Amino acid sequence: QPALTQPASVSGSPGQSITISCTGTSSDVGGYNYVSWYQHHPGKAPKLIIFEVTNRPSGVSNRFSGSKSGNTASLTISGLQADDEADYYCSSYATGSILVFGGGTKLTVL
Amino acid sequence: QVQLVQSGAEVKKPGASVMVSCKTSGYTFINHGISWVRQAPGQGLEWMGWTSAYNGNTHYVQKLRGRVTMTTDTSTSTAYMELRSLTSDDTAVYYCARLAVAGSLDAFDIWGQGTMVTVSS
């Protein structure tokens, strides 16, 4: 059972915006600003798209944005493109010096 | 450019051990820790633990303690993950990943290509 809860799937049409939630507890998401998001195309290595809740690594499109409220973090993808279709995972630093992942969300671009 | 290149696929029998290597290049090895993450078929990502390339300190997820060892070789800038007493539940793709910030279990900015480990009798 993943420590962080994500919706199993979301979908949207090209050009639309979607938001993926990631719910934890005060021992992980709510307690630290160390939430990251990864894009994972099957058969490839995961790619970091958001770190420390809101920051984008160099080279990542500004169509990806992150936020957090209480124990829930969110990833928003605006201007959906076909290549955004992938699995998305959140992760968070957690009490006890561990890292936890969400169960993953499959994004379908209609 | 920064790269993490992992060793090839493995097939092991139950009860055996496996060692996966992660050869790094393009950055100062001791400045970043290395974590290991696995993904079982049809499942999500699972964090296994991490090791400091600076001093060799390690921290493993509780469910794997006693079966996993993560090490680094600074002379070759390579990280290793050994998993013992394998069962079918250990069948997964294993990834090494670089910690983006030295000493901080925060984000993983560079990933290896993954190594498929199959445990089957």
Side-chain angles (χ1 to χ4, degrees):
Chain A
Q1 188 78 352
L4 307 180
T5 301
Q6 298 181 231
S9 63
V10 297
S11 62
S13 300
Q16 287 186 330
S17 295
I18 62 94
T19 297
I20 299 171
S21 61
C22 170
T23 301
T25 68
S26 58
S27 296
D28 38 64
V29 173
Y32 307 94
N33 287 322
Y34 287 147
V35 176
S36 299
W37 289 90
Y38 299 88
Q39 177 190 63
H40 190 198
H41 287 105
K44 300 184 70 176
K47 176 186 177 183
L48 177 66
I49 55 175
I50 295 289
F51 67 99
E52 293 174 2
V53 181
T54 61
N55 297 317
R56 277 187 311 275
S58 174
V60 172
S61 171
N62 59 9
R63 297 186 300 105
F64 295 91
S65 62
S67 63
K68 189 182 84 166
S69 177
N71 295 336
T72 298
S74 298
L75 171 71
T76 297
I77 308 174
S78 59
L80 271 180
Q81 299 178 357
D83 190 51
D84 296 334
E85 186 161 294
D87 297 321
Y88 291 84
Y89 292 89
C90 62
S91 73
S92 175
Y93 177 86
T95 302
S97 298
I98 64 172
L99 187 130
V100 291
F101 280 103
T105 298
K106 180 176 179 60
L107 169 62
T108 300
V109 180
L110 302 170
Chain B
Q1 73 279 27
V2 178
Q3 278 191 303
L4 277 61
V5 179
Q6 299 182 221
S7 48
E10 303 266 11
V11 179
K12 297 292 182 181
K13 293 193 182 303
S17 299
V18 68
M19 178 171 283
V20 179
S21 67
C22 173
K23 170 75 172 170
T24 75
S25 61
Y27 72 97
T28 302
F29 183 62
I30 61 172
N31 285 354
H32 295 266
I34 295 288
S35 239
W36 292 86
V37 176
R38 68 181 180 178
Q39 183 176 34
Q43 303 298 310
L45 301 177
E46 178 185 18
W47 181 73
M48 300 175 65
W50 77 285
T51 181
S52 166
Y54 176 74
N55 57 18
N57 286 349
T58 56
H59 192 82
Y60 307 133
V61 67
Q62 186 163 1
K63 68 178 284 188
L64 294 177
R65 285 178 198 163
R67 287 207 301 136
V68 68
T69 302
M70 297 175 188
T71 57
T72 56
D73 182 343
T74 56
S75 69
T76 60
S77 299
T78 302
Y80 298 91
M81 186 283 298
E82 180 187 31
L83 189 59
R84 301 175 291 279
S85 301
L86 293 168
T87 72
S88 57
D89 289 343
D90 296 314
T91 294
V93 176
Y94 289 75
Y95 295 99
C96 61
R98 188 183 82 161
L99 270 65
V101 177
S104 175
L105 192 55
D106 178 1
F108 310 135
D109 60 347
I110 307 294
W111 293 65
Q113 82 276 19
T115 296
M116 181 71 214
V117 175
T118 303
V119 183
S120 174
S121 55

